[in-house]
Amino acid sequence: MVGVSPKIAPSMLSSDFANLAGEAKRMIDLGANWLHMDIMDGHFVPNLTIGAPVIESLRKHTNAYLDCHLMVTNPMDYVDQMAKAGASGFTFHVEVAKENWQELVEKIKSAGMRPGVALKPGTPVEQVYPLVEGTNPVEMVLVMTVEPGFGGQKFMPNMMDKVRALRNKYPTLDIEVDGGLGPSTIDAAAAAGANCIVAGSSVFGAPEPGDVISLLRASVKKAQPST
């Protein structure tokens, strides 16, 4: 069995938004695989962050994979604009897509983006199984390890049961974790089976962000079978 590869995705929500292009370049130069972009609509979550215009502006300055997490009530309304802006991945929340996820996934793929599905801490993991097993499946599951909407929260270790359940069922699936990830929590996430690691304040707030990125990757590599 081929193992899944580690993908470290600094959360740009923790970066200096006034210098987004420079921050993106710095993260990629320090070894990040993806750049995680949090799109919040002020409705699905109370916070309001960035939208397609910022993604479009950033895309002019980087070729990096833009891993876009849409914390929005109506993800279907965002597909075309995010694709035009240059988003690479489009991760929507299962809580707002129970009725139309097949159509949504089809639209995301047709627009040239990689579909993912996210679930809040209170959402049972079983709700995403049909989306992974469908004829036109999502290609990543994002397990929120904090309540979405705010940065800097504490990691919820009990969410690792969801990660373990997903990894046991889907050995080659990209499983992402987001919220409170850093040097003190990465081993638990990696051991449970997460391979895509979103880290905000633990990277951007570190004296040497590159060291933290390397540590996160090393933990995932150690936990995942490579052959």
Side-chain angles (χ1 to χ4, degrees):
M1 185 189 81
V2 177
V4 288
S5 63
K7 298 170 184 86
I8 310 306
S11 178
M12 302 308 288
L13 188 64
S14 296
S15 74
D16 175 6
F17 268 18
N19 183 28
L20 197 55
E23 293 280 67
K25 183 179 187 306
R26 181 166 70 110
M27 289 299 115
I28 295 299
D29 288 348
L30 289 173
N33 304 92
W34 294 353
L35 300 175
H36 189 78
M37 312 299 295
D38 286 307
I39 290 92
M40 306 181 193
D41 64 357
H43 187 263
F44 180 72
V45 288
N47 232 336
L48 184 67
T49 55
I50 61 169
V54 175
I55 302 295
E56 185 177 7
S57 296
L58 180 58
R59 177 51 82 205
K60 292 169 185 167
H61 298 276
T62 183
N63 294 320
Y65 185 97
L66 299 181
D67 175 38
C68 297
H69 174 200
L70 283 94
M71 288 162 270
V72 300
T73 304
N74 299 304
M76 193 76 79
D77 296 344
Y78 290 77
V79 176
D80 289 339
Q81 56 179 289
M82 293 302 291
K84 283 176 190 156
S88 309
F90 186 110
T91 299
F92 59 89
H93 268 265
V94 69
E95 297 87 359
V96 294
K98 287 175 186 158
E99 305 303 317
N100 67 345
W101 64 264
Q102 288 109 325
E103 184 188 351
L104 182 55
V105 169
E106 175 68 39
K107 192 170 181 182
I108 293 165
K109 286 186 177 178
S110 297
M113 295 179 293
R114 189 168 184 251
V117 65
L119 61 161
K120 287 181 171 185
T123 302
V125 69
E126 291 79 11
Q127 288 194 12
V128 303
Y129 292 169
L131 284 72
V132 180
E133 296 170 10
T135 50
N136 200 13
V138 295
E139 296 175 29
M140 183 177 78
V141 175
L142 166 53
V143 176
M144 291 302 300
T145 47
V146 296
E147 284 296 336
F150 300 93
Q153 295 180 68
K154 279 199 167 69
F155 176 78
M156 299 166 72
N158 53 331
M159 292 301 110
M160 293 307 95
D161 290 344
K162 294 182 183 179
V163 175
R164 268 187 289 276
L166 287 163
R167 182 55 70 215
N168 287 338
K169 276 178 79 71
Y170 313 114
T172 59
L173 178 68
D174 273 337
I175 302 173
E176 187 168 59
V177 284
D178 180 4
L181 272 303
S184 64
T185 51
I186 181 58
D187 287 348
N195 68 300
C196 304
I197 312 298
V198 178
S201 42
S202 67
V203 169
F204 285 97
E208 298 291 342
D211 291 350
V212 178
I213 291 170
S214 297
L215 184 152
L216 298 175
R217 179 179 290 105
S219 180
V220 174
K221 274 189 171 170
K222 186 177 169 189
Q224 297 295 338
S226 56
T227 56

